[in-house]
Structures are given as C-alpha cells and as structure tokens.
Amino acid sequence: MRASGILMPISSLPSPYGIGTMGQQARQFVDFLSQAGQAYWQILPVCPTSYGDSPYQSFSTYAGNPYFIDLDTLAAQGLLKPKEYKHIDWQCTPEQINYGALYEKRYAVLRTACERLLAAPPADYRDFVRKNRFWLPDYALFMALKDAHGGACWQEWEHPLRKREPDALKAARRTYAKDIAFWQAVQYLFCTQWQALKEYANDKHIQIIGDLPIYIALDSVDVWSSPQDFQLDADLNPTEVAGCPPDGFSATGQLWGNPLYDWDAMAQNGYAWWVRRIRHMCSIYDVVRIDHFRGFAGYYAIPYGNKTAEGGRWRTGPGYALFAAIKKKLGEPRIIAEDLGFLTDDVNALLRKCGYPGMKVLEFGFDSRDGGDYRPHGYPVNSIAYVGTHDNEPVNGWMATAAPEDVARAVRYLNLTKQEGYHWGMMRGIWASAAELSIVQAQDLLGLGHEARMNTPSTLGGNWCWRAKRGAFNDRLAVKLHDLTELYGRLPE
C-alpha cells in the first residue's frame, strides 16, 4: 500500500523544558500527522545519549532517553510539583537544545520524581522490573557506577569492576542500591510514557518507525556486560573499530570508534544477542530501520588508535546467517534496511535475500559528491524514498551548498521553481515515485535550510540540536500536505 510519513526526532519537538518530550506536543504532532493524511512517524533512536549527544552513541541499546520524559505528565501524576521544575532556566533557545544544561539540571528533577515513585510504587512497577530483567539490572548498576566514577568510561574503573568479578558486582549492588533503584525507576517512567504515546499514535492509525544503530558505543553497558560478543583484546580494549572509508561526506572517512562484533562467537549461539535486541525493538516500534545495513555483508575495520578512517580494511560480515536466525526466532519482523554508502554486489544480494525494503535518497540522485543513480523514476516498489535523512542537508540548505551543475540538474529533472519552493518540488519527486513508502524530513516540510540540519557526519559539536518552533505544524500546513498526499495516491486506506 502506498503511504507517506515524516521524519521528526522526539528531541526536535517544541517544549518549554529544553528538549522535545513524550508529552502534549508529541500528541499534537501525532494529530498533525493524522490530519495531514500521513501513516508513519519516523524517529531517531530513543536511547540515552552519551558524550557528543548523538543518539547513535548510547550508554545502552535498550534504555530510553531520560530527557524525553515529560515533566508535566509527572506533575499530573503527583510525582512533581510545578515549583520543582517550571522555573528552571534550561539555557536554550526555542530552536536549539542545550545538552549541557539538560545534563546539569534534568536529573535532579527526575530524582525528586523517582523518590516519590519509589515511596509508593505503582502496581505494575515490580512487573516492569521483572519483564526487563534481561537488561535493566545491568544498566542501572552501570549508570550508578558511572556516577560513582565521575562519568569515567568503564575501562577506567578498578580491575574487579572492569572484569565484572562476581564479588565486586555483589558489593557494588549493595553500596549503590539507592542509585540503582533511581535508574530503574527512570526507565519505568520512560517506558510508561513511551507506551502511552505509541498507543495514542496507533489509535490515530499512525505507525512509528524506530531506528536501530548497527553498532554499540564502547562506553556502554552492552559492551561491559557482554565483552565476549565484541572484538576486544585481553585488556578489554578493541582491536579494531567501526567507521566508513572516505566518501562524499568526508575526505578522510568517518571514524565512529565503535567496537566491532565478534561474529564467529555470536554464530556459535545462534546470534542470541541480536535476536534479543531485534525482539525488543519490534516490541516498542511498529517498524525497525536498521542503520548501516551494508555492515552485515562486509564492514570497514579501522585499527584501534588511528586518528582517521583512511587506514581501514574491509572484512566479511555474518551475511544472511544472522537474518536467518532472526527469522527463525521472530518470524518476519518489519524491517527497513539502510542500504546507503559504498554498496557492493554482496550487499545487494543480501538485501534481496532478506526481502527488506532498502532506502533511496533523492539528494544523492543529483549530488556528484556521492554518486549512484537515485533518481525517482528508477525506485522499485519495495523501497523507502527519502529526500534526505538526518545526515543530509535540508533541501534549501542543499541548494545553497551543492555544486551549481548538480542543482541545475535537479531543477531540470524535477521542474523546480522558486515560486513553488524548491523543497516542495523535491518532496513531490519522491511522492510521485513507485516506492511504497515516502518519508520527508520535518525541516523540508517547514522549508528550512542549513540552520536546521540535524547532523553533519565527521563533525563534533552543534549536531542533534535543532527544534521546531511551537505552532509550526499548523492546520494550514496539514491541509496542504493532505491534498498533496491524496494527489499522489498515498492516503491511508
């Protein structure tokens, strides 16, 4: 069925509390999607951000971001009083997130709420802890230990804790019991608000596309608790790390720094780590987008300690064996494969065998820096069409920074005009394609430019900060989008 949706991070929603949350503004955005004839809301990963504020570098693949917990909802539940949060200066602007201020101020507010929660736990609290025992106790202990060590990476902790010696873990659980209880309570608050938001969206016939980063941050509970699943040496340091070779985004490549999986070790137990991860993601999202899908066919490995990604090499990934194990255990989960980047025959063959829809990015169809023919007349039905992703410029930013001949080619192909707005013309390009699903960035829908770019790969600072102005997603815009969605045959049935 032809359909369309919008890519809008939760962090980018309007809010008086420094960052978008799962509260009233999120529900209003769902209402906008419904009014506009959209069927999908795509978000970025909702896991807690670590240093650098990237949702693709998290302390946990399972935990939810405490910043997204809505404070007004907590007040309505009696867990907060208005004076405890209403007058805090979050040191941000309506269009930019200040992550430093959030880190310094948000947790004190959440501790107050969690103290009240734990003083009289809800009836379902114990059940929540029990159902999530496969990750929650380790996560809560990990975060308590990070706080106790001043935020230091687990590799800098004392040897017994680094190595997870049983006596050391048992002692830590006693010593930091109060902090562990706090971190578990925070996840209960996140989970209950997330489930309520998802139910609200689903009741409005809006499905949520969640994002699953392929790699795990080195400084994460996932690596600390399962070192046997990663390519680490005897001292628990990575032997090689993840990244991308030089490309149109960066002349020196992208050095992500994530530890790489020990695929041979994972194969021996039927890829249980990945099956568990995918099962969980499918339980909280309607559709899961797997980032950097090409890494399962072959992945770029960079020697640990290198300063750029130029000295890496390609190594063979698990291939279809991983997805055969997933399908055997989980059936046919709804997955989108982010098959962008340097594609080879083995990547294309893996995608065909899995049967997942891949991604087509319109900007790449005209940008000579990236190569590849992504013009919409060639999009297959089993694909997801984008104008751009979180790593791309919004259309109006791309028009100002791309080579003049690339812009001219796009204008000619799509018959773009300033009168209509280049962003509307580019969006029409993917709506008119044969792709079963089209997704546009919220920034393009609002006609924004470079100032609203979500992320510039291979750069630090200033990313993941954009927020929409209150009232930007209004009735007038919804009616216009609905009319175009109907015109291109993408209204929900």
Side-chain angles (χ1 to χ4, degrees):
M1 182 185 75
R2 288 171 63 80
S4 60
I6 298 175
L7 169 57
M8 176 67 174
I10 291 176
S11 60
S12 297
L13 292 166
S15 163
Y17 307 122
I19 194 170
T21 71
M22 299 178 288
Q24 186 58 32
Q25 289 293 325
R27 284 164 174 75
Q28 289 180 9
F29 184 69
V30 169
D31 294 342
F32 170 83
L33 292 171
S34 178
Q35 184 183 358
Q38 305 303 291
Y40 291 89
W41 178 8
Q42 181 172 331
I43 59 175
L44 297 184
V46 297
C47 43
T49 52
S50 59
Y51 308 108
D53 311 315
S54 170
Y56 295 89
Q57 296 284 348
S58 175
F59 293 134
S60 169
T61 189
Y62 293 105
N65 193 331
Y67 296 158
F68 296 164
I69 296 172
D70 184 64
L71 304 183
D72 288 335
T73 301
L74 299 184
Q77 295 171 327
L79 297 176
L80 286 177
K81 298 175 182 178
K83 65 180 181 180
E84 293 169 335
Y85 71 98
K86 285 281 190 180
H87 305 296
I88 294 175
D89 180 7
W90 298 105
Q91 299 173 247
C92 64
T93 68
E95 299 170 32
Q96 288 285 307
I97 299 166
N98 184 331
Y99 285 100
L102 286 171
Y103 179 77
E104 293 294 332
K105 302 179 181 185
R106 179 62 67 100
Y107 288 107
V109 177
L110 292 177
R111 283 187 181 275
T112 299
C114 288
E115 285 176 5
R116 293 190 178 114
L117 175 83
L118 293 169
D124 63 343
Y125 181 73
R126 182 175 295 180
D127 189 51
F128 165 78
V129 174
R130 180 186 60 80
K131 287 181 178 178
N132 292 279
R133 62 184 180 274
F134 65 96
W135 68 270
L136 184 59
D138 269 336
Y139 168 74
L141 174 60
F142 178 84
M143 294 305 295
L145 287 171
K146 279 194 73 67
D147 284 349
H149 289 82
C153 176
W154 64 268
Q155 291 178 302
E156 299 176 30
W157 299 350
E158 51 269 41
H159 185 272
L161 288 175
R162 286 182 66 234
K163 292 286 190 174
R164 291 178 58 84
E165 295 179 2
D167 288 345
L169 295 183
K170 185 177 180 180
R173 289 191 176 98
R174 288 196 303 266
T175 302
Y176 303 109
K178 186 175 180 180
D179 287 334
I180 291 169
F182 163 70
W183 287 108
Q184 291 193 155
V186 165
Q187 287 307 305
Y188 171 81
L189 295 177
F190 177 91
C191 181
T192 53
Q193 288 196 10
W194 171 257
Q195 291 299 333
L197 176 59
K198 184 176 181 295
E199 287 175 12
Y200 185 86
N202 290 166
D203 287 346
K204 295 274 186 175
H205 306 291
I206 303 298
Q207 299 185 67
I208 296 180
I209 301 173
D211 205 329
L212 188 153
I214 182 175
Y215 290 123
I216 301 296
L218 175 60
D219 187 16
S220 69
V221 62
D222 308 284
V223 180
W224 177 63
S225 63
S226 299
Q228 69 279 3
D229 289 319
F230 298 87
Q231 296 181 30
L232 307 179
D233 63 21
D235 293 323
L236 300 181
N237 293 313
T239 54
E240 293 178 311
V241 295
C244 277
D247 59 13
F249 282 123
S250 173
T252 58
Q254 299 178 42
L255 179 60
W256 300 334
N258 307 77
L260 297 166
Y261 299 107
D262 187 334
W263 290 117
D264 291 337
M266 286 184 161
Q268 291 177 11
N269 62 15
Y271 301 99
W273 188 95
W274 270 97
V275 170
R276 185 167 58 248
R277 188 184 187 198
I278 296 292
R279 178 187 287 116
H280 178 76
M281 295 303 158
C282 290
S283 74
I284 64 173
Y285 304 127
D286 297 299
V287 184
V288 177
R289 188 197 85 120
I290 300 181
D291 186 58
H292 198 62
F293 184 82
R294 72 104 49 246
F296 298 111
Y299 58 94
Y300 195 65
I302 305 159
Y304 182 57
N306 279 22
K307 301 302 181 183
T308 73
E310 294 171 284
R313 59 173 178 163
W314 287 100
R315 300 181 64 182
T316 302
Y320 187 70
L322 169 63
F323 296 98
I326 290 171
K327 292 183 178 186
K328 179 180 180 180
K329 295 290 186 178
L330 306 180
E332 293 287 344
R334 297 180 64 191
I335 288 174
I336 295 171
E338 188 267 284
D339 58 334
L340 306 174
F342 178 65
L343 301 184
T344 49
D345 290 343
D346 57 342
V347 182
N348 295 324
L350 176 60
L351 185 61
R352 285 193 301 270
K353 193 165 186 178
C354 289
Y356 304 142
M359 291 174 55
K360 304 297 180 184
V361 177
L362 181 60
E363 284 184 11
F364 290 166
F366 306 105
D367 199 318
S368 56
R369 293 170 292 186
D370 296 295
D373 191 353
Y374 285 88
R375 291 175 297 172
H377 67 262
Y379 293 176
V381 172
N382 188 34
S383 66
I384 316 298
Y386 294 78
V387 175
T389 73
H390 59 273
D391 283 335
N392 295 104
E393 285 271 20
V395 168
N396 290 334
W398 182 82
M399 288 285 180
T401 58
E405 58 270 25
D406 293 345
V407 172
R409 182 172 171 82
V411 168
R412 181 184 175 198
Y413 180 93
L414 295 164
N415 194 26
L416 304 179
T417 66
K418 290 184 179 180
Q419 182 178 7
E420 179 191 20
Y422 290 150
H423 55 296
W424 285 107
M426 292 280 268
M427 288 188 289
R428 280 195 295 101
I430 65 167
W431 291 330
S433 75
E436 63 180 353
L437 176 59
S438 61
I439 301 288
V440 299
Q441 286 198 86
Q443 297 96 310
D444 286 332
L445 196 63
L446 299 176
L448 303 177
H450 176 76
E451 76 285 354
R453 183 169 186 168
M454 204 67 204
N455 178 53
T456 303
S458 296
T459 65
L460 295 174
N463 295 317
W464 318 108
C465 293
W466 172 76
R467 286 199 297 162
K469 292 182 179 179
R470 184 182 292 270
F473 300 101
N474 53 45
D475 292 346
R476 182 179 178 182
L477 182 60
V479 170
K480 181 174 183 178
L481 181 55
H482 184 282
D483 289 346
L484 287 165
T485 304
E486 188 277 332
L487 182 65
Y488 289 102
R490 293 189 177 275
L491 285 180
E493 294 182 355

